[in-house]
Amino acid sequence: MGVPHLDDGAQAGEAAVIRVEDCPAIDVIVPTVDAVSWRHRGLVSLARNTNPAHLGRVVVVGPEPLDCGPAAGLFNGKLKRCETADRLPWKDAVPRGLVETDSPVVLHVQDDCLILPGNPDWLRTMLWPFTVDPTVGVVAATVSNVGNSNQSFKLSLPAPYYLTSSVVPVIFLARCEALKEATAAVTEDGFGDQEFPLALLLAGWKLVIATGVSHHHEGMQTNLRVYGTEYVETMKKRAKEELPKRFPKMWLARLDACEMVPFENHYVPRDGGVEVRLT
């Protein structure tokens, strides 16, 4: 396909833009654990609410036996199970799925998320920043819980938790080289998905949130519905007490300096977007 990739040792600024024609179909990675009912609903929603022409291979990574339920027959033979002997941490599950993909950008969907109906071409909206800026590493969708976006919800939390929350590791498009670089940089303690956004930014890649694309984080909504304000307070406590133990001080200092600004380029789409920056 003539897809541009970074050479070993290259920096984000040396990458080329990705053309729409380079990825008519986008491969998908779905890291999963043991939430079988969530996995079934999530995969069915992906198949039914996404233009099938925009979906490439759908790679589900998880411990065996990997049951994909009714979704197994909905992807025109493009669903692939990557079964592992044990449950892999996020930072290992994602690269395991990545080796099964071919598209220059890949879609990451957490197994407890639902793709909402009404916008089957949503992947094209999320693709546009890659086509105009070669330093864009990840474009994330907003995700709703209890009628509010994760973005507005998380802004009430301390800055370190906000950027390392599930805003990015839930549903996002990533350049393959950016995904490889950032996942390799996170730690081995099982919280790689929460460290990923910062690792991406520190490597020089841009992180854009596609404000015109919103889907549903079922797992987050369930926790909020069951635990309510107690769940919010628990997350605030976690941000204050646990994150300093987990992240190097430099990372926390950079997190405190993050800001969200309009994504600026010569091409501004109808649906807009915001960029997360480290100041």
Side-chain angles (χ1 to χ4, degrees):
M1 293 190 299
V3 174
H5 285 285
L6 290 178
D7 295 326
D8 291 341
Q11 301 297 312
E14 300 174 17
V17 295
I18 294 176
R19 302 168 300 175
V20 173
E21 56 267 31
D22 288 329
C23 43
I26 294 173
D27 293 336
V28 186
I29 300 173
V30 184
T32 185
V33 284
D34 52 3
V36 177
S37 62
W38 279 347
R39 182 195 313 146
H40 290 180
R41 290 195 295 272
L43 288 171
V44 168
S45 73
L46 175 65
R48 290 179 174 171
N49 299 323
T50 307
N51 186 332
H54 298 165
L55 287 176
R57 178 176 293 180
V58 178
V59 182
V60 184
V61 183
E64 57 184 356
L66 197 51
D67 176 13
C68 294
L74 297 180
F75 291 100
N76 299 317
K78 293 186 289 186
L79 187 142
K80 178 178 178 58
R81 297 175 179 85
C82 283
E83 296 183 328
T84 58
D86 301 302
R87 174 179 174 176
L88 296 178
W90 183 86
K91 71 158 290 169
D92 295 329
V94 170
R96 176 65 183 86
L98 195 58
V99 299
E100 304 289 345
T101 66
D102 296 314
S103 55
V105 296
V106 295
L107 172 67
H108 172 284
V109 180
Q110 193 163 297
D111 64 350
D112 61 348
C113 291
L114 299 176
I115 304 303
L116 300 180
N119 181 17
D121 295 328
W122 63 278
L123 275 175
R124 280 293 179 262
T125 301
M126 291 182 65
L127 183 63
W128 73 262
F130 296 100
T131 69
V132 296
D133 189 332
T135 64
V136 170
V138 163
V139 177
T142 63
V143 285
S144 63
N145 17 205
V146 202
N148 298 309
S149 75
N150 262 5
Q151 276 68 31
S152 61
F153 174 75
K154 293 291 170 53
L155 283 175
S156 66
L157 301 176
Y161 187 88
Y162 168 63
L163 187 54
T164 59
S165 72
S166 57
V167 171
V168 171
V170 175
I171 301 174
F172 63 86
L173 279 184
R175 282 186 81 117
C176 291
E177 54 266 41
L179 187 57
K180 290 176 183 176
E181 185 175 1
T183 52
V186 301
T187 63
E188 299 282 355
D189 64 1
F191 294 94
D193 55 343
Q194 297 182 10
E195 298 181 27
F196 171 72
L198 186 55
L200 182 88
L201 295 174
L202 291 175
W205 296 98
K206 287 182 180 178
L207 163 58
V208 176
I209 298 175
T211 54
V213 178
S214 180
H215 294 305
H216 186 68
H217 190 184
E218 186 177 26
M220 178 70 79
Q221 185 194 34
T222 299
N223 288 331
L224 287 170
R225 185 176 63 246
V226 173
Y227 301 109
T229 56
E230 180 182 347
Y231 181 63
V232 176
E233 292 305 315
T234 297
M235 288 196 295
K236 288 182 178 180
K237 182 178 180 180
R238 179 187 187 192
K240 182 179 180 180
E241 297 179 1
E242 293 186 21
L243 286 179
K245 301 174 185 177
R246 190 182 311 154
F247 297 114
K249 291 182 179 180
M250 180 190 70
W251 282 32
L252 284 175
R254 298 292 293 274
L255 278 171
D256 285 328
C258 74
E259 63 177 351
M260 299 179 68
V261 298
F263 178 68
E264 298 176 355
N265 205 281
H266 62 277
Y267 170 58
V268 180
R270 181 183 68 253
D271 294 319
V274 294
E275 178 189 341
V276 179
R277 289 182 182 171
L278 296 172
T279 57

